[in-house]
């Protein structure tokens, strides 16, 4: 099948190209993000392959349908950037990669937690400059602390397991409790109980209408003063302005983000020669107790291998049977 692959970087070409040796699809790689301005690049293809910040909205889907596209194969787990109802109306199937390496994201979450706590990013620079002072580097023992995991699916379950290994008491909240978490001693509680009880809160739920701004001003107000908040799920789960206020008044003791509500115009690009016009993001960068990465939690060799394999398997199955292996229905909703 001829596939127009959007938002590609050298690593996408490398991993998809290698996996495609066994599938034989015709892959046309485009640097451009999929949007109403770029969808014409898909002309002549039967499928489009898209990533997290591609805009697969109503207008783009209508345009893709008019060009004969019948499948959008996402290289991601979350589907929050796709208008699923519009896709159904246009007769375009949507496929995703439900699990490529939950370990990649869970382990990056731990990297944020450990770095924020022990400030190794600051210590690295100090030591290189001959500054061996410890002022400002004080951390805390994770052992014995209470951690809250919001969303205990594939990634949240692994995070809960690792935190349990560190000696934390793990509380969780999920609309569907996970028996594997209960078996390891995780206790499910309502959000009202989780917020004031936790020294550390980490978010692993999908972005849906129900989780949009789950962490808002009211949620921050209920949190334990000095809490560490970590988000590696989707930016929209957190109301950034409310969190900035929490950082300023000390309610939030430290913040780790791999995702940001308005990341579309920033992440995955080298903007180091430009200024950042997003004042909210720029404000986040001024806090010494904020650590941000640019949506890299998924970025391991294993994950990229699995993403490439599962994406091409989706396309092959769709071409052969009219159904992808992991097709997303409107009812299923975003991210799940
Ligand atoms: P999953 O579907 O296995 O688990 C998600 C869990 O969230 C489920 O148990 C679900 O019941 C729960 N949930 C749904 N609505 C909820 C709500 N309102 N409150 C609490 N819990 C709720 O998904 P996963 O593979 O664990 O991934 C979780 C999210 O992580 C994805 O949706 C995606 O947005 C994000 N993600 C980020 C990266 C990255 O690189 N930063 C990579 C992969 C996934």
């Amino acid at each position: 099948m001829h596939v127009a692959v959007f938002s590609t970087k050298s690593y996408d070409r490398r991993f998809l190209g290698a996996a495609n040796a066994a599938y034989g699809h015709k892959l046309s790689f485009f640097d451009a993000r999929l949007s109403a301005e770029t969808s014409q690049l898909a002309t002549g293809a039967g499928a489009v392959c898209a990533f997290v910040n591609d805009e697969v909205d109503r207008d783009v889907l209508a345009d893709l349908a008019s060009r004969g596209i019948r499948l959008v194969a996402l290289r991601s787990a979350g589907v929050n950037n796709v208008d699923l109802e519009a896709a159904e109306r246009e007769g375009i199937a949507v496929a995703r990669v439900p699990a490529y390496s939950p370990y990649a994201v869970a382990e990056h979450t731990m990297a944020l937690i450990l770095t924020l706590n022990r400030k190794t990013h600051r210590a690295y620079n100090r030591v290189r400059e001959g500054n061996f002072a410890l002022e400002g580097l004080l951390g805390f023992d994770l052992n014995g602390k209470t951690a809250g995991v919001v969303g205990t699916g594939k990634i949240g379950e692994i995070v809960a397991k690792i935190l349990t290994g560190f000696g934390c008491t793990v509380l969780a909240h999920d609309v569907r409790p996970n028996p594997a978490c209960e078996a390891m001693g995780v206790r499910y509680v309502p959000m009202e109980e989780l917020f004031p009880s936790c020294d550390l809160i980490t978010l692993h739920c999908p972005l849906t209408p129900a989780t949009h701004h789950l962490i808002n001003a009211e949620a921050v107000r209920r949190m334990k003063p000095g809490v560490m908040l970590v988000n590696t799920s989707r930016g929209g789960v957190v109301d950034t302005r409310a969190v900035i206020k929490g950082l300023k008044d000390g309610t939030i003791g430290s913040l780790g983000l791999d995702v940001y509500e308005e990341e579309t115009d920033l992440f995955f690009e080298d903007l180091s020669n430009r200024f950042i016009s997003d004042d909210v993001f720029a404000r986040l960068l001024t806090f010494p107790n904020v650590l941000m990465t640019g949506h890299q939690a998924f970025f391991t060799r294993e994950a990229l291998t699995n993403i490439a394999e599962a994406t091409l398997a989706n396309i092959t199955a769709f071409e052969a049977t009219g159904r992808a292996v992991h097709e997303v229905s409107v009812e299923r909703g975003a991210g799940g």
Side-chain angles (χ1 to χ4, degrees):
M1 198 169 196
H2 182 187
V3 187
V5 191
F6 283 85
S7 294
T8 59
K9 302 288 181 202
S10 63
Y11 44 84
D12 296 303
R13 296 186 179 111
R14 186 173 133 216
F15 283 88
L16 279 168
N20 195 40
Y23 287 95
H25 294 294
K26 180 182 172 194
L27 305 180
S28 296
F29 293 112
F30 299 108
D31 296 348
R33 201 154 52 79
L34 176 59
S35 69
E37 285 73 46
T38 62
S39 52
Q40 84 251 16
L41 292 169
T43 307
V48 149
C49 183
F51 197 47
V52 290
N53 289 331
D54 284 313
E55 286 167 30
V56 198
D57 60 17
R58 199 177 54 179
D59 294 345
V60 168
L61 286 159
D63 184 72
L64 291 176
S66 75
R67 295 174 197 280
I69 299 294
R70 287 289 159 260
L71 172 70
V72 172
L74 292 164
R75 308 196 291 285
S76 61
V79 296
N80 51 283
N81 54 332
V82 182
D83 184 333
L84 294 173
E85 280 171 19
E88 191 170 83
R89 267 200 314 277
E90 299 292 348
I92 295 181
V94 178
R96 68 183 187 122
V97 182
Y100 38 87
S101 175
Y103 297 98
V105 184
E107 290 171 15
H108 189 77
T109 303
M110 290 311 299
L112 291 178
I113 292 170
L114 291 170
T115 308
L116 268 178
N117 180 23
R118 305 307 298 269
K119 301 161 183 71
T120 41
H121 56 314
R122 304 185 72 194
Y124 172 83
N125 288 323
R126 282 192 191 184
V127 169
R128 286 176 76 90
E129 289 177 8
N131 175 358
F132 305 105
L134 299 182
E135 295 294 342
L137 301 184
L138 191 65
F140 57 84
D141 286 8
L142 274 173
N143 181 53
K145 295 295 181 296
T146 301
V149 180
V150 180
T152 51
K154 291 176 286 298
I155 296 167
E157 178 187 326
I158 297 166
V159 171
K161 186 174 161 196
I162 298 173
L163 288 170
T164 304
F166 268 90
C168 292
T169 298
V170 180
L171 301 181
H173 180 77
D174 197 307
V175 286
R176 270 179 294 147
N178 177 342
C181 287
E182 287 171 320
M184 66 176 96
V186 171
R187 191 162 64 84
Y188 283 89
V189 295
M191 288 303 269
E192 305 82 65
E193 186 178 337
L194 188 142
F195 286 138
S197 312
C198 292
D199 304 290
L200 146 69
I201 297 173
T202 180
L203 308 173
H204 303 288
C205 54
L207 175 60
T208 65
T211 63
H212 180 256
H213 285 188
L214 183 72
I215 305 301
N216 56 17
E218 177 58 18
V220 172
R221 202 185 55 74
R222 288 171 183 219
M223 288 177 193
K224 194 168 177 174
V227 65
M228 178 190 288
L229 177 67
V230 176
N231 185 16
T232 60
S233 63
R234 283 290 182 271
V237 177
V238 169
D239 177 349
T240 315
R241 285 183 169 80
V243 162
I244 287 175
K245 201 161 168 288
L247 283 161
K248 284 167 77 176
D249 68 24
T251 313
I252 297 179
S254 55
L255 174 70
L257 298 178
D258 185 53
V259 286
Y260 170 62
E261 309 188 66
E262 304 297 335
E263 70 179 48
T264 310
D265 293 330
L266 294 170
F267 287 4
F268 306 121
E269 303 302 330
D270 178 1
L271 306 178
S272 53
N273 286 321
R274 299 200 215 153
F275 65 87
I276 290 174
S277 55
D278 181 333
D279 290 346
V280 176
F281 187 82
R283 181 68 178 101
L284 280 175
L285 293 175
T286 67
F287 292 96
N289 50 347
V290 172
L291 176 61
M292 285 189 284
T293 51
H295 208 139
Q296 73 170 81
F298 74 99
F299 201 55
T300 66
R301 274 192 295 276
E302 290 78 2
L304 291 192
T305 304
N306 294 339
I307 287 170
E309 183 62 36
T311 300
L312 295 171
N314 270 333
I315 295 165
T316 299
F318 182 81
E319 190 176 25
T321 67
R323 265 198 87 73
V325 186
H326 297 292
E327 228 170 276
V328 187
S329 61
V330 175
E331 302 77 52
R332 193 176 170 84

